[in-house]
Amino acid sequence: MIYITIDGPAGSGKSSVSRELAKKLGFKHLDTGALYRAATFLWIKSRKELASQEFLKMVKSANFYLSGDSTLYMNGKPLGEEIRTVKVGKVVSKVAEVPEIREIITQKAREIANGKRIVVEGRDIGTVVLPSACVKIFLTASVDERAHRRYEDYKSRGVSVRFEEVVKEIELRDKIDSTREVAPLKPAKDAIIFSTDGFTFEEVVSKLYSLIVEKMKQC
Ligand code: CDP
């Protein structure tokens, strides 16, 4: 097994960069944000209290599965647009703040990654979920660049949203994610910190790919 972790704040480009790197390396790819988003989707649908036993049981019993092409399934269905709505984006950090939910999702992420050659992305992968990972990357960018990226992403998916709303979403999530008590967003001590400001997507992927290949020789 070889674990590569990519952590970073909202809109840093983690998902597209991680997916492309996994493809180039011939590795699987797991987006742990999708696990938190899926739990949030369940919560919104269930109308249960956030930290209630009923809701925790529901998350615990959810069955996540990563297919051969790294599509993530929940309870037999591929996760799609339903977890990427503005509504889910607005409350996901609140859900991810609950320690009991983090514990369940961390366990599920470890089970999915176990024994694989895999790129795992999130907020606490290098620090908490897979601290023994071979290569750890912390991807970052300015709020403005990240908000633009997220805005374009919403637009391309036909989601109607104002730019100011996106800036607010990013800032609020940064604040909650970096200040929460359990597993806050921060680089692992041995992480490579990489700012994407001023680089194109292709440049980021190419630079990180070289760094990873070099670092993997020492694993
Ligand atoms: O929107 P973006 O792709 O940047 O975020 P995401 O990766 O989909 O994650 C959504 C939210 O889930 C984050 O803002 C965090 O609150 C939470 N999360 C977390 O707490 N820990 C992780 N390992 C991954 C996501």
Side-chain angles (χ1 to χ4, degrees):
M1 82 194 174
I2 303 178
Y3 299 147
I4 293 170
T5 67
I6 305 196
D7 290 301
S12 56
K14 280 186 317 292
S15 290
S16 32
V17 168
S18 302
R19 204 172 300 119
E20 189 59 24
L21 284 170
K23 209 161 100 188
K24 273 171 88 93
L25 291 159
F27 280 29
K28 290 255 186 138
H29 166 235
L30 171 65
D31 168 9
T32 60
L35 297 174
Y36 285 98
R37 285 174 177 273
T40 305
F41 175 74
L42 288 178
W43 177 57
I44 294 171
K45 253 191 5 184
S46 76
R47 297 164 179 261
K48 306 264 187 247
E49 286 287 317
L50 190 47
S52 67
Q53 284 310 313
E54 289 157 292
F55 176 59
L56 293 177
K57 234 167 123 180
M58 195 181 270
V59 180
K60 211 170 190 163
S61 63
N63 177 38
F64 290 101
Y65 161 75
L66 199 62
S67 72
D69 66 354
S70 294
T71 302
L72 188 61
Y73 284 71
M74 178 169 72
N75 299 332
K77 284 198 201 122
L79 288 165
E81 288 295 307
E82 73 279 14
I83 63 163
R84 312 250 163 230
T85 60
V86 174
K87 193 169 180 184
V88 169
K90 275 192 178 145
V91 290
V92 60
S93 291
K94 259 183 84 74
V95 176
E97 230 181 347
V98 179
E100 292 89 342
I101 293 177
R102 298 207 69 80
E103 207 173 301
I104 298 170
I105 299 293
T106 296
Q107 195 50 38
K108 290 192 184 281
R110 286 182 184 143
E111 279 164 19
I112 296 172
N114 190 29
K116 297 187 176 68
R117 292 151 73 90
I118 188 166
V119 176
V120 184
E121 57 154 308
R123 299 288 189 289
D124 59 342
I125 313 302
T127 50
V128 175
V129 181
L130 301 170
S132 68
C134 160
V135 187
K136 300 180 185 177
I137 291 163
F138 191 87
L139 212 57
T140 178
S142 63
V143 170
D144 191 59
E145 182 147 333
R146 293 189 283 124
H148 270 107
R149 200 174 283 142
R150 184 49 47 98
Y151 179 64
E152 291 304 325
D153 175 46
Y154 278 135
K155 260 199 346 198
S156 72
R157 291 189 285 119
V159 178
S160 135
V161 66
R162 283 180 303 114
F163 180 69
E164 299 72 47
E165 212 182 327
V166 179
V167 173
K168 272 202 192 124
E169 177 199 321
I170 297 264
E171 286 179 339
L172 180 66
R173 282 214 274 143
D174 278 1
K175 186 157 174 247
I176 300 179
D177 289 350
S178 344
T179 55
R180 69 174 170 235
E181 270 180 34
V182 182
L185 168 69
K186 65 166 187 218
K189 284 201 178 73
D190 50 349
I192 300 165
I193 299 177
F194 190 95
S195 167
T196 66
D197 279 338
F199 290 121
T200 63
F201 173 73
E202 288 74 23
E203 284 169 339
V204 173
V205 169
S206 151
K207 281 174 195 293
L208 288 178
Y209 179 76
S210 308
L211 274 171
I212 291 171
V213 169
E214 204 43 47
K215 198 96 206 281
M216 273 202 313
K217 291 180 189 156
Q218 300 154 29
C219 295

